C-alpha cells in the first residue's frame, strides 16, 4: 500500500513537471526528425541505383577511320549500351584537352591494326586515360580491363588447346539474343529491403531515452536525500526499501507512457514502420526500462550526490549509445565488439529486425541477449543493495 502511494505521488510529480515533459517526451521526437533528415544519406532507400553514362573518347590511328570490330562489339553490347557513350577522336592531344575541360570522362588510345594483331596472338595493349571523376573512372577501368583480360584468356586457350585465337567480342553482342540476368539480387535472412534513417533513429532515440528514465529515479532519490525531505518519509512507518521501490515503480510507469508516445508519435508524424510484432516491441521496452532502473539503482547505491550520479549516468548512457552506433553507424570492428556487451546494441538490433520483418527467431535471439544482460545487471543491483543498502 505504501509503495503504491509513493509510486502514485512520483508519477504525479513528474507528469506535472514541464522539464520532464519537454526533455523526455518532446525532445526524442525532435531528434528523430533532425537526425533522420540530416543523416539520411548514410542509409539505403527504396530507389535502385542508376549508373550515369560514361563519355569515352576513342583515339584511333591516323590511317583508321572507324573503331575495330572487337571494340564495336564491346560498346554495343546490350549491358553497356546505356553506360558507354562513344566519341571518336583523331589524336591524343585532343582527348587530353577534353578530359581536362570535363567534356570527356575517359579516353582509350587504340593501337594500329588492333584486331589483326590480336587475331595473330601478338601482344597488344590499350592505353587508358582517366578523367576527373573517380567513380566514372572506376566503371570505365572495369569495362576495358575486363575486355583485355578476356582477350588474353581466349588467346591463351588457343595457344594451349590449339586453334585460331578469337576476338574478345561479348557473346551477348554477337548472338543478338537477349539473355537473362546473370545475377539476381535478393535478401538473406530479411524479408524487407532496408530501414530508413527515420526508422534507425527512431529506434536509437527510443533506446536512449528509455535509459534516461533511470536518471529521473536516481535524481529524485538523491535529490530528496540532499534536501533532507527523505527524513520525513523515514520518520513514518515506511522502510527505505519501500521508498526506493515506490520511486522506481513511479518512474517506470512514466517510462512506459514515454515509450508509447515515441512509438506512436514517430508513426503518425514521420511514417516510421515498427514492424508487425507489437508484443515483442513491448517486451523490448520493458527490458530496457528494467535495465535503466537497475543501472540507476547501482549508481544511487554508490553515489553521494545527485550531481555526481547524474554525471555518471549520462556518461554511461552516452558511451553505450555511441559504441552501439546510436548516433551514427560505426563500421569500426573494435566498437562493434564492445557494443555486444551493451543493452543498446541488442535492443536496437531487436527493433531494426522487427522493422525489416525478419524471422521471429532472429528477433527473439536479440531479445534473449538483452534479457541476459538485464538479468546480470539486476543480480549486481541485488548484491550491491545487500552489501551497501539504501540509507538517508
Amino acid at each position: 500500500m505504501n509503495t503504491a502511494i509513493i509510486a502514485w505521488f512520483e508519477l504525479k510529480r513528474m507528469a506535472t513537471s514541464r522539464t520532464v515533459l519537454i526533455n523526455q517526451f518532446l525532445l526524442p521526437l525532435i531528434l528523430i526528425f533532425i537526425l533522420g533528415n540530416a543523416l539520411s544519406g548514410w542509409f539505403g532507400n527504396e530507389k535502385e541505383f542508376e549508373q550515369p553514362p560514361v563519355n569515352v573518347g576513342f583515339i584511333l590511328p591516323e590511317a583508321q577511320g572507324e573503331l575495330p570490330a572487337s571494340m564495336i562489339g564491346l560498346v554495343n553490347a546490350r549491358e553497356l549500351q546505356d553506360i558507354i557513350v562513344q566519341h571518336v577522336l583523331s589524336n591524343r592531344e585532343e582527348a587530353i584537352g577534353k578530359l581536362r575541360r570535363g567534356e570527356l570522362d575517359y579516353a582509350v588510345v587504340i593501337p594500329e591494326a588492333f584486331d589483326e594483331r590480336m587475331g595473330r596472338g601478338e601482344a597488344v595493349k590499350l592505353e587508358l586515360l582517366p578523367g576527373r571523376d573517380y567513380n566514372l573512372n572506376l566503371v570505365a577501368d572495369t569495362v576495358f580491363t575486363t575486355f583485355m583480360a578476356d582477350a588474353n584468356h581466349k588467346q591463351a586457350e588457343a595457344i594451349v588447346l590449339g586453334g585460331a585465337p578469337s576476338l574478345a567480342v561479348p557473346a551477348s553482342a554477337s548472338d543478338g539474343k537477349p539473355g537473362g540476368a546473370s545475377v539476381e539480387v535478393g535478401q538473406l535472412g530479411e524479408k524487407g529491403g532496408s530501414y530508413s534513417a527515420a526508422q534507425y533513429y527512431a529506434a536509437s532515440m527510443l533506446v536512449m531515452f528509455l535509459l534516461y528514465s533511470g536518471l529521473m529515479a536516481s535524481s529524485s532519490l538523491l535529490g530528496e536525500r540532499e534536501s533532507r525531505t527523505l527524513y520525513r518519509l523515514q520518520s513514518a512507518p515506511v522502510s527505505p526499501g519501500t521508498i526506493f521501490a515506490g520511486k522506481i515503480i513511479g518512474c517506470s510507469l512514466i517510462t512506459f507512457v514515454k515509450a508509447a508516445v515515441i512509438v506512436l508519435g514517430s508513426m503518425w508524424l514521420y511514417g516510421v514502420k515498427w514492424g508487425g510484432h507489437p508484443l515483442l516491441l513491448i517486451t523490448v521496452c520493458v527490458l530496457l526500462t528494467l535495465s535503466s532502473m537497475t543501472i540507476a539503482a547501482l549508481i544511487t547505491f554508490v553515489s553521494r550526490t545527485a550531481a555526481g550520479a547524474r554525471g555518471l549516468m549520462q556518461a554511461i548512457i552516452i558511451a553505450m549509445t555511441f559504441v552501439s552506433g546510436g548516433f551514427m553507424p560505426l563500421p569500426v570492428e573494435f566498437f562493434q565488439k564492445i557494443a555486444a556487451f551493451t543493452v543498446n546494441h541488442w535492443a536496437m538490433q531487436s527493433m531494426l529486425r522487427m522493422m525489416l520483418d525478419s524471422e521471429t527467431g532472429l528477433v527473439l535471439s536479440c531479445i534473449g541477449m538483452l534479457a541476459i544482460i538485464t538479468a546480470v545487471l539486476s543480480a549486481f543491483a541485488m548484491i550491491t543493495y545487500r552489501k551497501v543498502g539504501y540509507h538517508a
Side-chain angles (χ1 to χ4, degrees):
M1 183 64 181
N2 292 330
T3 303
I5 294 174
I6 295 173
W8 175 249
F9 174 80
E10 191 69 16
L11 182 63
K12 287 179 60 178
R13 185 184 66 82
M14 289 186 294
T16 56
S17 172
R18 185 178 302 176
T19 302
V20 171
L21 295 177
I22 294 176
N23 293 341
Q24 300 296 324
F25 289 86
L26 183 59
L27 185 58
L29 296 175
I30 295 176
L31 289 176
I32 293 171
F33 173 77
I34 295 175
L35 295 174
N37 285 276
L39 301 177
S40 58
W42 284 81
F43 299 86
N45 50 51
E46 297 178 357
K47 296 182 179 180
E48 185 179 355
F49 172 75
E50 295 183 2
Q51 172 61 50
V54 184
N55 292 291
V56 179
F58 293 93
I59 300 97
L60 301 177
E62 295 182 0
Q64 187 174 340
E66 62 180 10
L67 291 175
S70 60
M71 198 62 64
I72 293 176
L74 174 67
V75 297
N76 290 335
R78 185 184 67 253
E79 297 85 351
L80 299 178
Q81 285 179 349
D82 297 330
I83 297 178
I84 303 297
V85 179
Q86 54 181 310
H87 302 267
V88 179
L89 306 175
S90 58
N91 56 71
R92 194 174 186 274
E93 289 71 21
E94 180 185 1
I96 294 176
K98 289 189 175 184
L99 287 172
R100 290 176 176 175
R101 294 192 298 269
E103 298 176 10
L104 288 178
D105 301 315
Y106 202 83
V108 179
V109 180
I110 301 176
E112 188 176 357
F114 179 74
D115 282 353
E116 291 78 3
R117 294 168 59 187
M118 184 183 295
R120 293 194 297 266
E122 298 180 7
V124 62
K125 294 182 179 180
L126 295 175
E127 183 181 359
L128 307 178
L129 305 177
R132 299 162 61 179
D133 190 296
Y134 173 79
N135 294 324
L136 297 181
N137 290 338
L138 187 61
V139 173
D141 278 338
T142 303
V143 171
F144 293 105
T145 54
T146 303
F147 169 77
M148 292 304 299
D150 186 45
N152 293 331
H153 177 71
K154 289 181 178 179
Q155 288 181 339
E157 282 184 346
I159 294 173
V160 174
L161 302 178
S166 59
L167 299 180
V169 181
S172 59
S174 59
D175 57 25
K177 297 179 181 180
S182 301
V183 178
E184 181 179 354
V185 179
Q187 297 294 328
L188 180 62
E190 309 290 356
K191 294 181 180 178
S194 61
Y195 45 78
S196 63
Q199 287 178 302
Y200 184 88
Y201 285 108
S204 172
M205 293 301 104
L206 175 60
V207 173
M208 186 174 73
F209 278 89
L210 287 185
L211 291 177
Y212 264 117
S213 299
L215 181 60
M216 297 188 299
S218 179
S219 298
S220 176
L221 286 165
L222 293 174
E224 289 195 4
R225 186 169 69 182
E226 290 179 354
S227 62
R228 306 295 181 179
T229 56
L230 194 59
Y231 288 125
R232 302 176 187 176
L233 289 174
Q234 291 183 331
S235 63
V238 180
S239 65
T242 301
I243 299 173
F244 185 83
K247 295 279 188 181
I248 293 295
I249 293 174
C251 290
S252 299
L253 293 175
I254 201 71
T255 301
F256 295 147
V257 177
K258 176 172 60 179
V261 170
I262 295 175
V263 171
L264 297 177
S266 61
M267 287 175 57
W268 294 335
L269 295 176
Y270 313 130
V272 174
K273 298 178 181 179
W274 290 88
H277 304 281
L279 294 180
L280 294 181
L281 181 59
I282 293 173
T283 302
V284 173
C285 292
V286 171
L287 290 174
L288 276 173
T289 302
L290 181 58
S291 297
S292 174
M293 298 304 164
T294 303
I295 295 173
L298 286 169
I299 293 176
T300 302
F301 294 151
V302 300
S303 298
R304 296 184 177 181
T305 63
R310 189 181 303 112
L312 181 58
M313 186 80 175
Q314 287 179 340
I316 293 173
I317 294 173
I318 292 175
M320 290 194 302
T321 304
F322 173 76
V323 298
S324 63
F327 298 121
M328 183 179 296
L330 298 176
V332 182
E333 185 179 359
F334 173 74
F335 292 116
Q336 293 175 355
K337 291 180 179 179
I338 298 178
F341 296 94
T342 65
V343 295
N344 301 58
H345 172 76
W346 296 109
M348 282 190 62
Q349 289 301 314
S350 302
M351 295 178 186
L352 293 176
R353 290 180 186 274
M354 293 180 207
M355 292 174 177
L356 295 177
D357 292 326
S358 300
E359 298 295 334
T360 305
L362 295 175
V363 180
L364 290 176
S365 64
C366 295
I367 295 178
M369 292 300 300
L370 176 61
I372 291 174
I373 296 177
T374 303
V376 171
L377 290 174
S378 300
F380 275 124
M382 292 296 296
I383 295 173
T384 305
Y385 180 75
R386 290 182 178 180
K387 288 186 176 182
V388 178
Y390 175 70
H391 303 289

